[in-house]
């Protein structure tokens, strides 16, 4: 395979990982990876540090390999290695083995503090409507204020409604107005990664100095540190230090501060100190406005009737709405297919089925719990007995199959479990169904119940 083939494969794999894991995880752990070469059935992937390499291998190796194999039959295995070290055969060492961590002076070990900003996510490209006008106004006020207006600014709303867009827009605006201001924008997982790395390398003082010296700290998806006591403790002190020095803190989450389960009460209180702005689910007018704005950037014309059809049918979130329009336009560009309501209905048939069902994790849990005669609370409990664990895994399997939620989001719905637990459950049920006729019948029956 040549370099273009490798770039194409990695691009597709990257998008698949975004869909499965969500942007916060991918931005923190997958973005730093780069394709090195393909040789003798093995795809070699470079990581910038040993810590990141081991985290990826232990948590995402199987998923990355699965998507790589799906994209190219030539790929039999992958090896993730540190760019400053010589690749070794991944199959000769256990992925779960303990690795010694040594602080390296190599430039490859220097991890950038923030995450690159998306040039598309600006205030000019943000479509404003009733559901998001308050959050937009609050974000713009903070971005344009020479003094700290609200501290912190806390933006919250469901997945795909525009929180990350507003966060990037604030950062771009501040950078344009005040180029000298030091801005650190990152996901909560990236913050946790920096903190864990500083503890591992016994360099917490450098971590504190680095984070407490910024002018603007922006943390996306703060809910990912819920239940992470040590990370919360450090973020609490970082937050206080910045606020005390009149530095701006901006945070986003999927829930309001008071509803963040697993977050310390004192931190909930601090997060609710300033201005809390929520982004409501989109209405038809806003969805249509977003589609009209996005379609204006394409080289092909999308009929207004098609935009209206998509705005009526895809109601989950903006990300899925824009993805639906991308599929319609791609079909027209690559296949030469005429864009009509009928062709759009066919192209989006899978999305429309999901949208029409509007099935939720709670509904899946209730139906599966009733089928197996277990308590609904067992779906989120820590119990590991087989009579509870198997129904829970079946429910996770259906949550992955029948909803558009990412693995971390599904895990959160099952008592705050890690995305790797969900991935394991899905694979386990698939394996069991191949060998256990009784379970296969159960799954088929439940599928009929949930989708009828």
């Amino acid at each position: 395979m040549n370099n273009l083939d490798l770039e194409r494969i990695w691009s597709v794999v990257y998008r698949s990982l975004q869909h499965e894991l969500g942007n916060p995880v991918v931005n923190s752990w997958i973005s730093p990876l780069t394709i090195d070469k393909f040789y003798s059935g093995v795809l070699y992937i470079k990581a910038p540090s040993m810590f990141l390499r081991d985290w990826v291998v232990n948590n995402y190796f199987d998923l990355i390999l699965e998507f790589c194999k799906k994209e190219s039959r030539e790929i039999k295995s992958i090896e993730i290695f540190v760019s400053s070290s010589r690749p070794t055969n991944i199959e000769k060492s256990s992925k779960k083995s303990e690795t010694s961590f040594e602080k390296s002076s190599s430039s490859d070990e220097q991890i950038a503090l923030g995450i690159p900003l998306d040039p598309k996510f600006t205030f000019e490209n943000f479509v404003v409507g009733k559901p998001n006008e308050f959050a937009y106004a609050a974000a713009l006020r903070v971005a344009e204020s020479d003094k700290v207006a609200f501290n912190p600014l806390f933006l919250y709303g469901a997945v795909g409604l525009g929180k990350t867009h507003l966060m990037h827009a604030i950062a771009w605006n501040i950078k344009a107005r005040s180029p000298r201001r030091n801005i650190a924008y990152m996901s909560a997982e990236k913050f946790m990664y920096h903190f864990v790395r500083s503890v591992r390398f016994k360099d917490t003082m450098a971590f504190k100095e680095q984070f407490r010296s910024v002018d603007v700290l922006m943390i996306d998806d703060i809910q990912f540190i819920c239940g992470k006591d040590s990370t919360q403790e450090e973020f609490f002190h970082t937050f206080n230090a910045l606020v005390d020095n009149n530095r701006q803190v901006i945070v986003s989450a999927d829930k309001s501060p008071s509803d963040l389960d697993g977050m310390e009460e004192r931190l909930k209180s601090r997060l609710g100190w300033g201005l809390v702005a929520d982004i409501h689910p989109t209405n038809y007018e806003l969805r249509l406005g977003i589609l009209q704005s996005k379609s204006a950037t394409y080289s092909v014309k999308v009929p207004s009737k098609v935009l209206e059809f998509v705005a009526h049918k895809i109601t989950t979130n903006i990300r899925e709405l824009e993805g639906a329009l991308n599929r319609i336009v791609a079909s027209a560009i690559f296949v030469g297919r005429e864009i009509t309501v009928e062709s759009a209905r066919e192209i989006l048939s899978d999305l429309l089925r999901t949208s029409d069902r509007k099935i939720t994790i709670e509904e899946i849990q209730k139906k599966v719990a009733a089928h197996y005669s277990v308590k609904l609370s067992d779906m989120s409990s820590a119990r590991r007995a087989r009579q509870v664990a198997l129904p829970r895994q079946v429910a996770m399997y259906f949550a992955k199959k029948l909803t558009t939620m990412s693995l971390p989001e599904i895990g959160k719905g099952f008592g705050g479990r890690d995305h790797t637990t969900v991935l394991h459950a899905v694979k386990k049920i698939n394996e069991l169904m191949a060998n256990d006729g009784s379970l296969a019948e159960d799954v088929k029956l439940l599928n009929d119940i949930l989708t009828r």
Side-chain angles (χ1 to χ4, degrees), residues 360-377:
T360 63
I361 285 181
E362 291 76 16
E363 182 183 353
I364 291 170
Q365 291 175 337
K366 286 178 183 177
K367 295 288 176 62
V368 173
H371 178 80
Y372 283 102
S373 300
V374 298
K375 297 177 182 177
L376 180 59
S377 59

Side-chain angles (χ1 to χ4, degrees), residues 166-408:
L166 283 178
M167 296 278 280
H168 283 234
I170 293 171
W172 282 122
N173 193 287
I174 293 175
K175 284 167 70 74
R177 287 170 52 84
S178 307
R180 292 178 179 272
R181 293 182 76 183
N182 184 7
I183 303 170
Y185 166 78
M186 69 194 67
S187 66
E189 280 214 345
K190 188 76 169 181
F191 178 87
M192 182 176 69
Y193 162 63
H194 281 292
F195 172 62
V196 171
R197 184 172 181 272
S198 72
V199 173
R200 176 71 68 177
F201 292 145
K202 297 180 174 58
D203 200 17
T204 54
M205 286 308 298
F207 171 89
K208 295 177 190 293
E209 290 172 6
Q210 190 177 32
F211 275 87
R212 298 178 192 186
S213 65
V214 300
D215 298 306
V216 183
L217 178 63
M218 308 178 73
I219 304 292
D220 211 351
D221 288 309
I222 197 69
Q223 71 271 10
F224 282 100
I225 68 170
C226 287
K228 310 293 193 302
D229 294 342
S230 297
T231 303
Q232 286 187 47
E233 175 81 16
E234 187 54 43
F235 179 73
F236 176 80
H237 294 301
T238 298
F239 177 95
N240 285 339
L242 291 171
V243 171
D244 289 346
N245 285 287
N246 207 33
R247 309 289 178 84
Q248 181 71 62
V249 179
I250 304 168
V251 177
S252 80
D254 61 351
K255 296 177 182 176
S256 69
S258 59
D259 292 330
L260 289 172
D261 296 331
M263 190 73 76
E264 293 180 5
E265 288 301 322
R266 61 177 182 169
L267 192 47
K268 286 184 183 180
S269 175
R270 296 294 194 279
L271 292 172
W273 259 1
L275 179 62
V276 177
D278 62 332
I279 304 178
H280 298 284
T282 58
N283 56 22
Y284 170 74
E285 289 76 15
L286 178 56
R287 292 195 296 274
L288 182 58
I290 291 168
L291 291 172
Q292 289 170 337
S293 175
K294 187 169 180 64
S295 67
T297 66
Y298 291 121
S299 58
V300 297
K301 180 174 175 55
V302 183
S304 57
K305 287 290 184 185
V306 174
L307 298 179
E308 292 165 7
F309 169 76
V310 176
H312 271 299
K313 289 294 186 179
I314 308 298
T315 61
T316 46
N317 60 57
I318 295 171
R319 197 175 299 152
E320 194 164 285
L321 186 74
E322 293 182 339
L325 184 59
N326 286 339
R327 287 167 65 170
I328 293 170
V329 172
S331 177
I333 294 174
F334 299 146
V335 185
R337 191 171 187 178
E338 183 183 2
I339 300 178
T340 65
V341 171
E342 290 70 28
S343 66
R345 190 189 304 276
E346 184 178 335
I347 292 166
L348 305 178
S349 59
D350 58 329
L351 286 179
L352 297 180
R353 283 197 300 272
T354 301
S355 180
D356 289 340
R357 276 199 308 264
K358 289 187 176 65
I359 195 165
T360 63
I361 285 181
E362 291 76 16
E363 182 183 353
I364 291 170
Q365 291 175 337
K366 286 178 183 177
K367 295 288 176 62
V368 173
H371 178 80
Y372 283 102
S373 300
V374 298
K375 297 177 182 177
L376 180 59
S377 59
D378 286 332
M379 292 292 163
S380 301
S381 74
R383 294 184 60 197
R384 295 186 177 184
R386 178 175 169 77
Q387 63 265 33
V388 170
L390 181 63
R392 187 188 298 129
Q393 289 178 325
V394 170
M396 289 181 183
Y397 166 85
F398 279 115
K400 173 65 178 68
K401 179 182 178 183
L402 301 179
T403 76
T404 58
M405 301 184 79
S406 66
L407 295 176

Side-chain angles (χ1 to χ4, degrees), residues 3 6 34-38 43-46 81 87:
N3 288 338
L6 294 179
T34 55
I35 293 297
D36 181 58
K37 63 182 178 180
F38 175 78
L43 180 64
Y44 292 91
I45 302 171
K46 287 194 295 188
F81 66 97

